[in-house]
């Protein structure tokens, strides 16, 4: 599966898509209310089939609901059912049931087999109207779903999921393998001794964000000035996200050009978020790994994840001695067995490289330079 994202041209007819998104939000809230009412009355969960049948009958009598295609309505019911199933399965872990959403903040609706048709050039027919989009790349493969998304600025994007049957073979172009350790001060530490610092885009723009947020909070609620200030604040956040994402793409291309196999440690992002909060959000490790995996798959490279509980920092990369305890504040330590001095992050990166190499059957490269036999 491959996801393609295109921006729709700004046009007056786009208001029909925005009205459809609003109608989808109203239907979503109505479905949530039906679920809660059904449980209060009968003490049971409302099945997805019954909900879809009931909403289909209501939709025939409500012209506003008919702005949303029937398949989009079915998708709303299915997503709510999936959210409830996750709640039933993981409620002891803190997962909450789906709740109501503000219609103005509702983001999207999804069409599956019908309700859209791609025309020649950069045109797509959704419902009875034709829209134009920025066709930055060709749509290759079988289209599975089409989603219309609305950003907080009111811009519309078309997200197309296609069935990409092409599976590139894993090929070793450089013959090199490397392990990487994430850090708070250093974004990535490589097993070859190099390190990559994070620009920390949010931290650099924090004063600008605070100023825009302060201006927004001062404006009268419901006024045009407050809406203008809100859009200004949203643009500041989007600039940060776009700059960070651009840096991630460039870094991922650099790493996949240098190495054929890239080894990482599985991260507990939620736990890290609770400990370090905004700093983890600024570094965005999860987003970087998603981009890296996508580029590696496209180029025929391999990304390996080792066990989360492997003691990469406490294991000596020279002799394999494992410390009983290593405090997070200690950035460098001497091995009691071989007397070698290990930097915490670089030592962890070497161990991750060694475990990752053994995972893919490349042997133990604990003592070796990150070159592998092709």
């Amino acid at each position: 599966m491959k996801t393609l994202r295109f921006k729709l041209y700004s046009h007056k007819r786009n208001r029909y898509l925005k009205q459809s998104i609003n109608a989808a939000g109203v239907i979503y809230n109505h479905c949530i209310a039906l679920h809660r009412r059904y449980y209060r009355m009968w003490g049971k969960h409302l099945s997805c089939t019954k909900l879809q049948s009931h909403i289909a009958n209501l939709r025939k009598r409500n012209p506003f609901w008919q702005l949303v295609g029937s398949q989009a309505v079915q998708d709303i019911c299915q997503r709510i059912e999936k959210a409830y199933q996750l709640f039933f399965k993981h409620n002891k872990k803190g997962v909450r049931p789906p709740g109501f959403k503000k219609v103005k903040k509702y983001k999207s609706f999804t069409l599956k087999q019908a309700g859209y048709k791609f025309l020649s050039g950069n045109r797509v027919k959704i419902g009875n109207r034709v829209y134009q989009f920025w066709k930055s790349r060709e749509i290759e493969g079988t289209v599975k779903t089409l989603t219309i998304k609305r950003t907080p600025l009111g811009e519309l994007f078309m997200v197309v999921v296609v069935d990409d049957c092409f599976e590139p073979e894993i090929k070793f172009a450089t013959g090199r393998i490397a392990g990487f350790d994430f850090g708070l001060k250093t974004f990535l530490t490589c097993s070859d001794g190099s390190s990559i610092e994070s620009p920390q885009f949010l931290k650099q723009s924090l004063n600008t964000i605070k100023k825009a947020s302060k201006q927004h909070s001062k404006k009268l609620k419901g006024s045009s000035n407050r809406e203008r200030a809100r859009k200004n604040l949203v643009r500041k956040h989007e600039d940060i996200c776009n700059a960070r994402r651009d840096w991630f793409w460039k870094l991922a291309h650099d790493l996949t050009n240098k190495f054929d196999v890239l080894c990482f440690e599985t991260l507990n992002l939620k736990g890290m978020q609770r400990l370090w909060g905004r700093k983890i959000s600024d570094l965005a490790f999860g987003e970087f790994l998603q981009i890296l995996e996508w580029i590696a798959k496209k180029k025929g490279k391999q990304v390996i994840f080792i066990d989360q509980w492997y003691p990469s920092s406490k294991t000596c990369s020279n002799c394999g001695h494992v410390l009983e305890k290593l405090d997070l504040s200690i950035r460098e330590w001497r091995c009691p067995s071989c007397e070698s001095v290990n930097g915490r992050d670089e030592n962890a990166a070497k161990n991750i490289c060694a475990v990752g190499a053994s995972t893919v059957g490349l042997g133990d490269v604990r003592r070796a330079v990150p070159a592998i036999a092709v």
Side-chain angles (χ1 to χ4, degrees), residues 242-256:
N242 292 336
R244 183 192 294 119
R245 193 169 180 83
D246 178 69
W247 185 72
F248 282 165
W249 280 97
K250 292 177 180 176
L251 177 60
H253 276 290
D254 289 341
L255 294 179
T256 50

Side-chain angles (χ1 to χ4, degrees), residues 198-211:
S198 172
Q200 296 187 6
F201 297 97
L202 179 61
K203 186 177 180 180
Q204 290 181 3
S205 306
L206 202 55
N207 290 333
T208 306
I209 292 292
K210 287 180 179 178
K211 184 177 178 180

